[in-house]
Amino acid sequence: MSGTILVDQDLSLANTLGLPCRAERFAAPATSGSLRRLLCLAAEQDWPLTLLGGGSNLILPERLAGLVIQPALRHWWLEQQGNDVLVHIGAGVEWHSLVMALAGRGLWGTENLALIPGTCGAAPIQNIGAYGVELGEVLEAVQVLFVEDGRSAVLTPEACAFGYRDSIFKSELDGKVVITGLTLRLSRLASPRLAYGDLAQRVGAQPTPLEVAETICAIRREKLPDPAELGNAGSFFKNPIVERKQAEEMLSSWPDMPYFELTDGCIKLAAGWLIDRCGLKGWRSGHFGVHDRQALVLVHFGGGSSAELLAFADSVVEQVQARFGVVLEREPRLA
Ligand code: EPU
């Protein structure tokens, strides 16, 4: 039932890394009313609160005290506005299913973000992005409830302070709000975004959003492991951003190093390439490894713990730092 609290819940299947975890209490509210009641109860009882989406960007400990809430608001509907369509979405809707449904209706805007795991409510937290598009570009509003008193509010995209894999939900509002829903602005007018990699070569001259989305799925399946088969959290590290001077020095030693110039003059490097060039692609130690097709992804072969994963990741960071002088930052968050 929507607001029911389950005790001693196993969350090992609720995180895509497949880490063992038990929650002291767990609830999956399907309405904002039951979510608000749970927040009030947690505040009254002084229970520490953990929010769970699709568990695809999270490192869970073996035991979570207090209350884990996984919002299960699963409605979505469309609102026509000329050539634009506003999409109103509950936080518990699965992101990829929504993207495919929107692309199938001929709507442009989210097709490059196909096959990203997780729920819609988690999407703004790290401003999900892939193949030249970030969520912030199509977002109209984010609906939230404040943890402290259950008050509701609506945030504009500007208020969300989106950056590369970053938003206000990771800083000032971290732990203070629960995202209950999103509004996206999509378009009926053809607006393909095909500049990334060889995407343009892989679709027809006038692709539909569904063709682009299906091509993105095919590209991702070639490189990224399916969490249902091999535990992982997608990119484990962010692509590091360095000063132009440092990038130029690196390019003189490694002229084939991929890089991307940012509008502020800084340079974004490819963490996957740096890890790969340390000879770590396919490296395995204990229960964890570096994926053999995309070095940016750490994989869990089963039987490991979060402590072992963090030690494994530290060892990757140290090896990249020793060779390139660049410190990689972790992408998934610690619960
Ligand atoms: N590369 C290597 N070896 C590797 C991996 C990558 O040499 O093992 C090189 C590639 O050849 C390419 C460059 O590094 O020249 C960049 O690789 P890729 O295009 O695969 O993208 P990425 O930078 O590794 C980022 C996102 C992905 C997103 C892709 C496509 C981050 C941290 N990761 O990966 O996001 O799908 O671009 O846009 O920004 C995720 O966040 O979970 C994720 C998968």
Side-chain angles (χ1 to χ4, degrees):
M1 274 212 337
S2 171
T4 309
I5 295 178
L6 305 172
V7 294
D8 193 28
Q9 179 82 349
D10 180 5
L11 296 184
S12 55
L13 295 178
N15 73 103
T16 61
L17 271 161
L19 294 169
C21 175
R22 296 197 83 86
E24 189 178 3
R25 298 177 195 83
F26 172 88
T31 64
S32 44
S34 48
L35 173 55
R36 190 178 274 123
R37 280 191 291 280
L38 286 163
L39 294 178
C40 292
L41 184 64
E44 259 168 45
Q45 302 290 327
D46 223 2
W47 290 334
L49 200 62
T50 305
L51 290 163
L52 187 62
S56 57
N57 202 44
L58 207 57
I59 300 173
L60 293 177
E62 286 183 25
R63 189 154 176 78
L64 273 172
L67 175 64
V68 175
I69 296 183
Q70 186 174 44
L73 295 89
R74 297 215 175 92
H75 61 275
W76 64 274
W77 51 281
L78 305 176
E79 179 188 345
Q80 196 79 31
Q81 274 196 359
N83 283 321
D84 284 358
V85 173
L86 295 184
V87 192
H88 302 275
I89 315 153
V93 172
E94 196 219 341
W95 175 260
H96 171 66
S97 310
L98 177 81
V99 166
M100 297 313 281
L102 297 173
R105 282 168 172 74
L107 297 174
W108 292 93
T110 46
E111 63 284 351
N112 289 32
L113 304 178
L115 212 60
I116 295 182
T119 58
C120 292
I125 298 174
Q126 60 151 334
N127 185 22
I128 56 168
Y131 302 97
V133 175
E134 286 183 347
L135 177 75
E137 296 165 41
V138 290
L139 197 85
E140 185 79 358
V142 179
Q143 292 89 40
V144 300
L145 287 184
F146 278 84
V147 166
E148 195 184 44
D149 54 8
R151 167 172 53 99
S152 61
V154 178
L155 273 71
T156 62
E158 294 71 36
C160 294
F162 289 125
Y164 165 62
R165 296 289 190 273
D166 199 22
S167 74
I168 195 163
F169 305 108
K170 281 185 164 185
S171 49
E172 274 164 66
L173 292 184
D174 187 16
K176 297 206 169 65
V177 296
V178 183
I179 295 173
T180 54
L182 315 179
T183 306
L184 305 181
R185 180 178 287 277
L186 303 192
S187 176
R188 293 202 174 278
L189 302 178
S191 44
R193 304 279 302 269
L194 307 174
Y196 194 98
D198 62 352
L199 190 50
Q201 284 82 60
R202 295 182 59 148
V203 294
Q206 289 184 319
T208 62
L210 189 58
E211 185 186 346
V212 176
E214 282 170 348
T215 307
I216 295 283
C217 291
I219 295 172
R220 290 182 71 100
R221 285 196 180 104
E222 283 162 18
K223 288 197 238 173
L224 298 168
D226 179 353
E229 287 162 19
L230 189 56
N232 74 90
S235 302
F236 198 87
F237 302 101
K238 292 187 204 173
N239 282 331
I241 294 169
V242 300
E243 299 285 333
R244 175 175 293 271
K245 190 167 168 291
Q246 185 178 359
E248 280 168 359
E249 282 164 14
M250 292 173 78
L251 280 164
S252 63
S253 305
W254 297 281
D256 63 334
M257 178 180 77
Y259 64 96
F260 180 75
E261 299 202 24
L262 301 177
T263 46
D264 63 0
C266 287
I267 307 287
K268 194 196 263 184
L269 306 177
W273 185 91
L274 299 173
I275 299 168
D276 195 348
R277 283 306 168 101
C278 288
L280 294 174
K281 202 173 192 165
W283 175 52
R284 178 175 177 166
S285 171
H287 303 96
F288 294 91
V290 174
H291 187 47
D292 55 7
R293 275 177 286 147
Q294 162 57 293
L296 196 47
V297 177
L298 301 190
V299 294
H300 177 205
F301 297 104
S305 66
S306 53
E308 189 189 340
L309 169 62
L310 293 173
F312 181 81
D314 281 350
S315 147
V316 172
V317 172
E318 278 159 24
Q319 293 180 68
V320 168
Q321 187 175 12
R323 188 166 170 119
F324 294 104
V326 173
V327 181
L328 296 181
E329 232 182 275
R330 193 181 60 232
E331 212 209 276
R333 311 176 79 203
L334 292 180

